[in-house]
Amino acid sequence: EAGVAQSPRYKIIEKRQSVAFWCNPISGHATLYWYQQILGQGPKLLIQFQNNGVVDDSQLPKDRFSAERLKGVDSTLKIQPAKLEDSAVYLCASSLGGSRWQAFNSPLHFGNGTRLTVT
Amino acid sequence: AQSVTQPDIHITVSEGASLELRCNYSYGATPYLFWYVQSPGQGLQLLLKYFSGDTLVQGIKGFEAEFKRSQSSFNLRKPSVHWSDAAEYFCAVGAPSGSARQLTFGSGTQLTVLP
């Protein structure tokens, strides 16, 4: 099966600019996640979608970050305006997870990430 | 809230030697525990998971982990390391009671394998 696709692989922007990342999950996966991984740290969940609805966005900085998952398939994550501390790898992951139990029992499949550098 | 501590930032072992990566968690109930591996420039791959039952779990690539409730630990082991095991390893704990899948990752342990 094809894996989780993310683009672009790398992005360099100046602070206060905007940027968008795209993710295409594995076909049939109901649940999609965006994680932020700052250098030297583990991934931190930003937002979780189940189909096209948001399940958890408690750690998403909503004043500058937004995400959508139209039609319950592809997703975009946007940062506007970017700050220096947003420099990180942004990972998208998907899982079959339909029910609450399935959401934990089915493994996460990660994309290769987008490395963002804000200068 | 749950938390994960991986005390070793970097570990170096020789090829063929045994390996143990430490993980300590904090969570009020029985945790869901995971180990993921991340190779350079790639996403994370699940090595193994523990939900309940046998406290010694087997994973892919010859890895195993043991859940010790008394020590709040979930250490990852491999009896003989291969050069291809060089990567970063992340322990994670899940909160099963929420409506979302709240995985909290540790800060990772970088593994270097010497020839």
Side-chain angles (χ1 to χ4, degrees), chain A residues 12-31:
Chain A
I12 300 174
I13 62 172
E14 296 181 351
K15 60 183 179 184
R16 291 187 289 274
Q17 287 186 324
S18 62
V19 64
F21 313 126
W22 173 82
C23 173
N24 180 236
I26 293 173
S27 177
H29 280 195
T31 311

Side-chain angles (χ1 to χ4, degrees), chain A residues 35 43-45 59 104 108 110, chain B residues 2 32 34 36 92-95 101-105:
Chain A
Y35 283 86
K44 183 185 82 171
L45 179 68
Q59 298 189 92
F104 252 124
L108 294 181
F110 283 85
Chain B
Q2 67 270 30
Y32 289 58
F34 307 80
Y36 281 83
V93 60
R101 180 182 183 154
Q102 297 172 6
L103 267 187
T104 300
F105 286 86

Side-chain angles (χ1 to χ4, degrees), chain A residues 9 33 35 37 40-43 45 48 55-56 91 95 100-108 110-112, chain B residues 32 34 36 38 41-46 49 51 90 94-103 105-107:
Chain A
R9 284 288 277 135
Y33 314 79
Y35 283 86
Q37 186 176 17
Q41 299 181 20
L45 179 68
Q48 177 185 343
V55 178
D56 182 5
L91 294 166
S95 70
R100 182 182 308 179
W101 168 249
Q102 287 176 326
F104 252 124
N105 202 29
S106 54
L108 294 181
F110 283 85
N112 289 338
Chain B
Y32 289 58
F34 307 80
Y36 281 83
Q38 186 177 32
Q42 297 191 12
L44 285 77
Q45 180 185 24
L46 179 66
K49 61 187 179 185
F51 286 177
F90 293 92
S97 59
S99 59
R101 180 182 183 154
Q102 297 172 6
L103 267 187
F105 286 86
S107 55

Side-chain angles (χ1 to χ4, degrees), chain A residues 7-80:
Chain A
S7 66
R9 284 288 277 135
Y10 305 93
K11 191 73 176 179
I12 300 174
I13 62 172
E14 296 181 351
K15 60 183 179 184
R16 291 187 289 274
Q17 287 186 324
S18 62
V19 64
F21 313 126
W22 173 82
C23 173
N24 180 236
I26 293 173
S27 177
H29 280 195
T31 311
L32 185 147
Y33 314 79
W34 283 101
Y35 283 86
Q36 180 193 57
Q37 186 176 17
I38 293 173
L39 186 64
Q41 299 181 20
K44 183 185 82 171
L45 179 68
L46 292 175
I47 189 167
Q48 177 185 343
F49 292 95
Q50 182 132 329
N51 297 308
N52 59 351
V54 175
V55 178
D56 182 5
D57 63 357
S58 57
Q59 298 189 92
L60 187 73
K62 299 180 186 64
D63 58 333
R64 298 184 300 105
F65 286 65
S66 65
E68 61 182 8
R69 190 182 185 196
L70 299 176
K71 302 179 181 179
V73 182
D74 293 6
S75 177
T76 56
L77 176 69
K78 297 179 182 178
I79 307 175
Q80 182 179 5

